Amino acid sequence: MSHDQPHKTTDDKLIYMANQIATFFKSQPEGEQVKGISGHINKFWEQRMRRAFFVMIDQGDSRFDPLVVKAAALIKRPAEVKQV
Amino acid sequence: MSLVPEIDYGTPASRAEKMVTLTIDGRDITVPEGTSIMRASMEAGIQVPKLCATDMVDAFGSCRLCLVEIEGRNGTPASCTTPVAPGLKVHTQTSRLKDIRKGVMELYISDHPLDCLTCAANGDCELQDMAGAVGLRDVRYGYEGDNHVKARENGEANARWMPKDESNPYFTYDPSKCIVCSRCVRACEEVQGTFALTIEGRGFDSRVSPGMHENFLSSECVSCGACVQACPTATLTEKSVIEIGQPEHSVVTTCAYCGVGCSFKAEMRGEELVRMVPWKDGKANRGHSCVKGRFAYGYSTHKERILNPMIREKVSDPWREVTWEEAYAHVASEFRRIQYQYGREAIGGITSSRCTNEETFLVQKLIRAGFGNNNVDTCARVCHSPTGYGLGQTFGTSAGTQDFDSVEHSDVVVIIGANPTDGHPVFGSRLKKRLRQGAKLIVIDPRRTDIVRSPHIEAAYHLPLKPGTNVAVMTALAHVIVTEGLFDEKFIRERCDWSEFEDWAAFVADESHSPEAIEKYTGVKPEDIRGAARLFATGGNGAIYYGLGVTEHSQGSTTVMAIANLAMATGNIGRPGVGVNPLRGQNNVQGSCDMGSFPHELPGYRHVSDDATREIFEKMWGVKLSDEPGLRIPNMLDAAVDGSFKGIYIQGEDILQSDPDTKHVAAGLAAMECVVVQDLFLNETANYAHVFLPGSTFLEKDGTFTNAERRINRVRKVMTPRNGYGDWEITQKLAQAMGLDWNYTHPFEIMDEIAATTPSFALVSYDYLDKMGSVQWPCNEKTPLGSPIMHIDGFVRGKGKFIRTEYVATHERTGPRFPLLLTTGRILSQYNVGAQTRRTDNVVWHEEDRLEIHAHDAENRGIHDGDWVKLTSRSGDTTLRALITDRVAPGVVYTTFHHPTTQANVITTDFSDWATNCPEYKVTAVQVSPSNGPSDWQVEYDEQARQSRRIVAKLEAAE
């Protein structure tokens, strides 16, 4: 992340946030890391955030921390978009 | 209706457990040892005449009016300073006492004006009462000669006379009416702890003096009002009483400023508020107040208050006043249109931490049951959301563990990232009282806040860390405690998971977490960290109080966990005097969190994915609820910019001023199609609103606020809402317009619904609150009296959980372009974004935000005190005036954000706490340079705001 540029797009922010979460859990005991990251995102991320997250994960976006990529398997895929 | 009765017992209550029986005027009386004879008499209903005694301060024994005779003892001792003893036989009324008292009163009155009829204290004057009580009929000495009463005598100026000091905006000091009882001086010392007042001179020259013979405004006085409350005459009198007269009835209610949640008597004459007086039985404040709650309520009748609903098509249009029906119908049809067009998730709302529990509950209910999603958030997002997360993880519940009374039992107090004497002044005073009694203080703060060194108080340790390094310092404290074997093994084995402790202990014991290893980036002397850790671990009851300096960081949640770790490791949980105490910002931010304002939680902190919880609400509300977490405020704004979030209902919060990265907030709001703002004033957010619904003040509605100690306090309506409706009624009408079948007739019905659905509130009702005064949740079958202290026999989650806390440097770093670190905070006289306090006379203390900068940094840049400076960060720039000080270290600058023109949040970045997205307000890399005037953004913003506030087409009359 460049220091002189505040993050611009929502995608950039989501990657930053996911990596921040991974950074915390990286310091936790190994058995809790992947579970911690996926649990956190499942608990706090709204569907369209997870949707955008999976678009990037599925494209293999290289900006994700490897631990986030590992945790993605345990993150709930959001439901299809539907109108009222 | 009548005035709420309060008995003045003359001297404070004794805490002794041993009881003593004596006889007063032939009656046997049993009181705790150490009680004064005066208090014992009053408890038996015998009122001994007194002037210098009042139970808010210690006995002084100067007025010689409260004398009594004790059988077997010589003379006539003062009943206020004489403690009870077993078997004493006391007489409070004898001919000898009568003569002495009458003589004393004659002396007092010989130097006192006789203008009782036109005096502001007429009807509320203890001097008048005592003249009556002792049967004063004549003043043998006359009124001529040496006196403090007359401005001129025999055509010459009287050097003893002093004019009235009217410098304080809220009260006057009339020296001619002073009887030098020194109650004000003692209240300032003992209750407030400021020591601004003194008695200058001696003998007949004695008089009360603010500071060194200054006027009140230029002295150290913080205008808390304790002296005015203590004054037995009209010497210190509220200007509102002078103007209006004495109140005829009063109602106990709760202050709508900070999270201390002080109880006040709103003293009324009809529907006119005469004054707010702190209520002695208020369990949070114990009869004390600060300048905001006591005096700064004038905003409620300010001319800028909006009283009619308004609509406009585009935010560039002027406002058009409409009827309430039109406003509700418009919002309902717009929200439904947006959902039809963009999806159910395209709208959301923000609950208000300034409104009542009942109102907050209704807004989240409207969103969950009416909007059909969980897009609800509240201002706690930007303040204490990391507290919720961090304490939830470690202890199992997300609230402070103590009541405020607990501080009276503390031996070592740690304050981290909080400035209680400014932000939570009444708690600050209670803390200072304990510190003066000898408790030790450790302050962890980049700034030398007032509490570090103030009259009769000095912190044992001040750790002036670099902003952003809290986790490193907290972990280093733990390192010392673990490596030096200072932890409480018995407590940990009993209450916590031992293997988790071992894992954590091994982690913190690593050399990389030692005070020596972290010095290079925290800037704190290792020996100070070691000393502070030893003191906290071994000094007796250790209590930790913290504020937004902990939470508003990229690692806010991690620091909260580090605090919880430290409390558990030292066994400082589960009894009076200890604990982890978040000082909550707004009056009802605790309550708004409790009431399910977060997008992932239903009321009572239960996750939306929990089927059993959803079922409770689905059954009661008759709708299906979403099991998916909703958007948090920053996510809402991102989604708005991306085009998937189009409408928002904001009750009583000003996100444009209070949230970080103003330009991004503005862009998000500008991208929405229907922004509905419900507030007292056209706040900054309203510049981007399409609908404005005028809100009501805390004086105009019934409800409850929950303060930082989980105390549920009643808010009572004392006047008709000027806008016509309480905020709960407005939300209900909006819900009805959206097709919801709501029929609440009074807020107590909403509380009943809360109690029926939320286990921690199970026994709470208005009847119960009336009976108990207040209760602290959890209040249910298990704890019917409420819970002053939590985790007494075990943690809510079962075993306390130790969590590793690795320090991670924030990405917001200084460099050649931005070499300084900006941190932000509050000032005593102003509150939050200032919407209320800026509309009161409190502006005399703080009319603008200033940039505090160290002399060294100022000199390098050619900046003088008072100069306009430009403050630039990677996000934007603004201008404000500099204040040169050594309270901040070189390399650190500081400002407040109470004034919208300052635009401090144009500077702050969008970095946020990893767990909760709580913004990193407390660390921004900046540059400071001399400037000539406002930045382009400020000019542009002012123009936009001015345009946006135009109102055309006024309706004939308010409904």
Side-chain angles (χ1 to χ4, degrees):
Chain A
M1 198 111 324
S2 159
H3 282 170
D4 285 3
Q5 281 294 314
H7 341 295
K8 286 276 187 278
T9 69
T10 305
D11 281 355
D12 288 344
K13 285 188 195 174
L14 292 175
I15 293 172
Y16 186 81
M17 282 159 57
N19 290 348
Q20 250 187 317
I21 296 166
T23 304
F24 174 81
F25 283 103
K26 214 173 278 177
S27 68
Q28 301 306 307
E30 211 179 323
E32 292 175 23
Q33 295 177 357
V34 167
K35 229 172 54 195
I37 298 167
S38 56
H40 193 90
I41 290 178
N42 283 334
K43 206 170 161 191
F44 297 107
W45 284 28
E46 196 254 5
Q47 295 195 69
R48 75 196 89 171
M49 295 165 72
R50 299 203 314 272
R51 202 170 289 131
F53 168 81
F54 275 112
V55 169
M56 292 186 283
I57 286 282
D58 293 346
Q59 286 168 352
D61 198 307
S62 62
R63 292 174 294 171
F64 281 112
D65 189 300
L67 213 49
V68 174
V69 179
K70 220 165 137 191
L74 295 177
I75 296 173
K76 236 171 88 188
R77 292 216 169 232
E80 290 303 304
V81 192
K82 54 173 189 281
Q83 299 283 311
V84 177
Chain B
M1 282 189 286
S2 58
L3 291 163
V4 175
E6 264 183 21
I7 298 169
D8 184 352
Y9 291 93
T11 63
S14 163
R15 292 216 184 147
E17 279 167 22
K18 194 175 158 203
M19 300 302 278
V20 170
T21 301
L22 72 164
T23 311
I24 302 178
D25 292 345
R27 270 190 264 176
D28 284 347
I29 294 160
T30 305
V31 291
E33 192 175 33
T35 303
S36 69
I37 288 177
M38 173 183 280
R39 189 177 177 103
S41 307
M42 196 64 209
E43 284 182 11
I46 303 163
Q47 215 170 333
V48 182
K50 64 179 182 61
L51 277 172
C52 75
T54 178
D55 57 12
M56 70 192 278
V57 291
D58 287 338
F60 196 55
S62 80
C63 75
R64 314 314 294 169
L65 212 57
C66 72
L67 311 182
V68 290
E69 288 192 79
I70 301 171
E71 284 179 25
R73 287 197 193 176
N74 290 331
T76 53
S79 64
C80 62
T81 52
T82 309
V84 295
L88 285 190
K89 287 193 170 33
V90 179
H91 300 281
T92 71
Q93 182 80 345
T94 65
S95 56
R96 183 182 177 198
L97 292 171
K98 277 156 63 180
D99 286 346
I100 296 174
R101 286 185 191 140
K102 210 178 272 188
V104 168
M105 279 310 292
E106 275 183 276
L107 288 167
Y108 274 118
I109 300 303
S110 70
D111 188 23
H112 193 85
L114 298 176
D115 62 349
C116 293
L117 279 180
T118 53
C119 178
N122 190 7
D124 183 29
C125 174
E126 294 181 37
L127 189 66
Q128 203 176 39
D129 294 347
M130 287 310 113
V134 304
L136 184 73
R137 299 291 171 255
D138 186 26
V139 175
R140 288 168 292 171
Y141 312 106
Y143 302 97
E144 300 308 313
D146 229 3
N147 69 78
H148 299 90
V149 177
K150 296 170 198 157
R152 302 185 70 81
E153 218 166 6
N154 310 322
E156 281 179 37
N158 175 6
R160 290 196 189 279
W161 179 84
M162 270 171 63
K164 232 175 171 178
D165 172 3
E166 297 183 315
S167 60
N168 184 294
Y170 299 118
F171 61 85
T172 64
Y173 165 45
D174 184 351
S176 73
K177 296 197 165 162
C178 180
I179 58 169
V180 202
C181 63
S182 83
R183 272 159 64 160
C184 55
V185 177
R186 288 176 285 140
C188 190
E189 286 179 15
E190 294 176 33
V191 180
Q192 167 56 27
T194 294
F195 294 75
L197 300 181
T198 187
I199 301 286
E200 63 177 22
R202 44 177 66 194
F204 199 65
D205 292 333
S206 306
R207 61 173 76 233
V208 172
S209 164
M212 306 287 281
H213 203 84
E214 292 155 80
N215 66 31
F216 266 84
L217 193 62
S218 46
S219 75
E220 302 92 330
C221 166
V222 293
S223 198
C224 69
C227 57
V228 182
Q229 203 180 332
C231 182
T233 68
T235 309
L236 292 162
T237 307
E238 295 90 349
K239 286 183 177 173
S240 59
V241 170
I242 295 175
E243 193 196 308
I244 302 169
Q246 292 295 328
E248 43 81 27
H249 76 274
S250 60
V251 177
V252 172
T253 190
T254 305
C255 178
Y257 282 117
C258 78
V260 176
C262 297
S263 296
F264 277 88
K265 292 179 296 178
E267 297 198 335
M268 310 294 298
R269 182 153 275 284
E271 285 211 328
E272 184 172 25
L273 180 55
V274 176
R275 62 178 171 188
M276 295 284 277
V277 182
W279 188 40
K280 203 157 72 172
D281 289 344
K283 295 192 183 95
N285 55 320
R286 301 283 178 197
H288 191 37
S289 62
C290 82
V291 60
K292 294 188 284 280
R294 177 85 152 89
F295 296 118
Y297 49 80
Y299 68 87
S300 63
T301 51
H302 194 275
K303 63 180 188 318
E304 283 169 14
R305 218 179 128 185
I306 303 291
L307 302 174
N308 292 304
M310 305 189 294
I311 292 183
R312 59 184 169 188
E313 298 307 312
K314 301 192 299 292
V315 298
S316 53
D317 292 342
W319 287 105
R320 181 168 59 87
E321 288 188 349
V322 295
T323 63
W324 282 99
E325 282 63 34
E326 206 177 333
Y328 296 134
H330 180 79
V331 175
S333 82
E334 274 296 279
F335 279 174
R336 286 304 185 213
R337 173 189 67 79
I338 290 170
Q339 285 194 304
Y340 184 75
Q341 210 172 326
Y342 301 100
R344 192 171 60 188
E345 317 290 334
I347 60 172
I350 300 178
T351 71
S352 176
S353 294
R354 302 207 240 280
C355 283
T356 63
N357 284 316
E358 293 75 4
E359 289 165 338
T360 302
F361 183 85
L362 285 196
V363 172
Q364 64 91 33
K365 178 175 173 178
L366 170 65
I367 290 161
R368 299 188 202 279
F371 296 2
N373 61 45
N374 287 317
N375 293 331
V376 53
D377 208 354
T378 191
C379 79
R381 177 62 51 213
V382 300
C383 62
H384 268 292
S385 51
T387 292
Y389 182 81
L391 296 186
Q393 294 292 307
T394 47
F395 296 164
T397 184
S398 66
T401 62
Q402 310 296 116
D403 58 0
F404 287 133
D405 284 351
S406 164
V407 76
E408 294 171 12
H409 307 278
S410 297
D411 301 311
V412 183
V413 175
V414 183
I415 301 177
I416 314 169
N419 183 6
T421 53
D422 280 281
H424 301 86
V426 169
F427 170 72
S429 289
R430 298 190 65 182
L431 167 65
K432 287 202 284 188
K433 192 170 190 170
R434 180 63 190 159
L435 294 173
R436 288 196 304 275
Q437 290 167 352
K440 298 280 185 287
L441 176 66
I442 298 166
V443 177
I444 305 176
D445 200 297
R447 251 172 106 232
R448 198 185 65 236
T449 51
D450 285 343
I451 194 98
V452 172
R453 194 176 146 83
S454 67
H456 300 271
I457 286 168
E458 182 157 22
Y461 295 95
H462 173 213
L463 313 181
L465 74 182
K466 288 247 170 66
T469 61
N470 285 331
V471 171
V473 170
M474 296 308 292
T475 307
L477 289 168
H479 172 93
V480 176
I481 288 167
V482 166
T483 55
E484 297 189 5
L486 306 175
F487 52 89
D488 184 343
E489 183 170 341
K490 184 167 168 286
F491 178 92
I492 299 164
R493 283 192 185 276
E494 270 174 31
R495 307 283 186 87
C496 306
D497 185 307
W498 182 253
S499 69
E500 279 168 356
F501 168 75
E502 284 182 312
D503 173 80
W504 172 82
F507 168 83
V508 299
D510 191 273
E511 197 42 44
S512 64
H513 298 127
S514 71
E516 292 72 19
I518 64 160
E519 183 186 5
K520 57 184 179 295
Y521 47 89
T522 61
V524 183
K525 287 189 214 126
E527 60 270 28
D528 283 356
I529 294 187
R530 288 194 178 273
R534 289 169 193 144
L535 175 60
F536 181 68
T538 62
N541 283 341
I544 303 175
Y545 291 85
Y546 71 90
L548 305 184
V550 159
T551 54
E552 290 175 346
H553 287 280
S554 286
Q555 282 202 291
S557 292
T558 316
T559 311
V560 173
M561 294 177 199
I563 289 170
N565 288 337
L566 211 57
M568 289 189 291
T570 51
N572 279 311
I573 288 286
R575 61 178 191 278
V578 301
V580 174
N581 305 275
L583 293 169
R584 309 290 309 229
Q586 301 216 54
N587 53 322
N588 197 38
V589 66
Q590 179 70 52
S592 74
C593 296
D594 303 341
M595 292 298 107
S597 291
F598 286 139
H600 64 283
E601 275 170 348
L602 287 158
Y605 303 99
R606 291 164 294 172
H607 199 269
V608 291
S609 63
D610 181 53
D611 295 338
T613 306
R614 272 202 328 284
E615 204 175 299
I616 296 170
F617 289 97
E618 286 175 346
K619 225 183 225 165
M620 179 159 273
W621 297 348
V623 289
K624 192 97 190 112
L625 296 176
S626 167
D627 62 350
E628 276 286 350
L631 293 168
R632 299 172 283 198
I633 294 171
N635 313 139
M636 290 182 198
L637 294 166
D638 292 342
V641 171
D642 294 346
S644 69
F645 190 81
K646 294 285 188 182
I648 192 164
Y649 171 40
I650 305 175
Q651 182 173 81
E653 189 178 348
D654 193 359
I655 56 170
L656 187 61
Q657 194 182 341
S658 66
D659 284 34
D661 200 357
T662 308
K663 288 178 182 175
H664 182 64
V665 179
L669 289 168
M672 295 186 207
E673 294 178 6
C674 185
V675 174
V676 181
V677 168
Q678 181 173 330
D679 213 303
L680 301 175
F681 304 101
L682 281 173
N683 61 16
E684 304 307 305
T685 308
N687 296 346
Y688 290 88
H690 305 88
V691 179
F692 187 89
L693 302 174
S696 59
T697 71
F698 74 112
L699 298 166
E700 299 167 337
K701 58 199 180 189
D702 281 299
T704 55
F705 291 152
T706 307
N707 74 356
E709 35 162 24
R710 294 169 280 105
R711 185 179 302 287
I712 307 161
N713 270 316
R714 274 284 271 119
V715 175
R716 292 185 176 88
K717 180 175 170 177
V718 294
M719 56 179 76
T720 311
R722 297 184 70 228
N723 59 322
Y725 300 97
D727 292 275
W728 63 275
E729 293 174 279
I730 297 166
T731 305
Q732 166 156 286
K733 294 271 190 185
L734 189 55
Q736 288 167 347
M738 291 190 76
L740 296 166
D741 182 26
W742 290 9
N743 298 293
Y744 303 105
T745 59
H746 189 275
F748 81 79
E749 297 169 347
I750 307 170
M751 182 49 86
D752 290 347
E753 184 171 322
I754 297 165
T757 50
T758 309
S760 49
F761 279 68
L763 286 189
V764 181
S765 70
Y766 283 16
D767 283 345
Y768 197 59
L769 290 173
D770 285 344
K771 195 174 114 195
M772 304 289 293
S774 64
V775 289
Q776 289 171 270
W777 67 257
C779 176
N780 48 31
E781 296 298 334
K782 258 197 264 169
T783 51
L785 302 178
S787 312
I789 291 167
M790 293 191 79
H791 316 297
I792 290 177
D793 298 315
F795 287 95
V796 169
R797 75 184 295 279
K799 294 274 186 191
K801 185 177 174 66
F802 282 92
I803 298 178
R804 296 186 196 172
T805 54
E806 182 77 77
Y807 167 66
V808 180
T810 168
H811 283 107
E812 182 63 13
R813 285 185 195 138
T814 53
R817 279 179 58 204
F818 303 107
L820 304 172
L821 282 179
L822 168 75
T823 185
T824 56
R826 312 281 189 284
I827 204 158
L828 169 68
S829 59
Q830 299 291 330
Y831 175 69
N832 200 267
V833 296
Q836 293 138 290
T837 44
R838 276 185 285 113
R839 290 181 174 95
T840 69
D841 288 328
N842 276 25
V843 290
V844 305
W845 288 282
H846 184 79
E847 52 183 359
E848 59 179 338
D849 295 319
R850 299 280 288 264
L851 184 77
E852 291 190 10
I853 183 168
H854 191 272
H856 175 78
D857 292 324
E859 196 183 339
N860 281 345
R861 290 165 175 77
I863 292 166
H864 304 98
D865 195 59
D867 281 359
W868 282 97
V869 294
K870 183 169 159 186
L871 181 65
T872 316
S873 77
R874 296 179 180 102
S875 285
D877 57 78
T878 189
T879 54
L880 68 171
R881 293 200 303 133
L883 178 74
I884 294 174
T885 175
D886 63 351
R887 284 158 71 106
V888 289
V892 177
V893 293
Y894 167 88
T895 191
T896 48
F897 63 95
H898 299 302
H899 292 265
T901 46
T902 312
Q903 293 282 321
N905 281 326
V906 170
I907 304 303
T908 53
T909 66
D910 61 1
F911 287 109
S912 66
D913 174 46
W914 67 269
T916 66
N917 275 169
C918 180
E920 187 162 57
Y921 286 126
K922 301 292 185 184
V923 194
T924 311
V926 293
Q927 178 56 295
V928 177
S929 51
S931 159
N932 294 323
S935 69
D936 292 347
W937 167 263
Q938 281 170 303
V939 173
E940 228 173 89
Y941 184 92
D942 275 358
E943 176 56 19
Q944 198 270 348
R946 208 176 52 77
Q947 285 291 329
S948 167
R949 292 197 173 115
R950 288 169 301 152
I951 301 173
V952 294
K954 287 230 176 218
L955 283 184
E956 281 304 299
E959 283 165 82

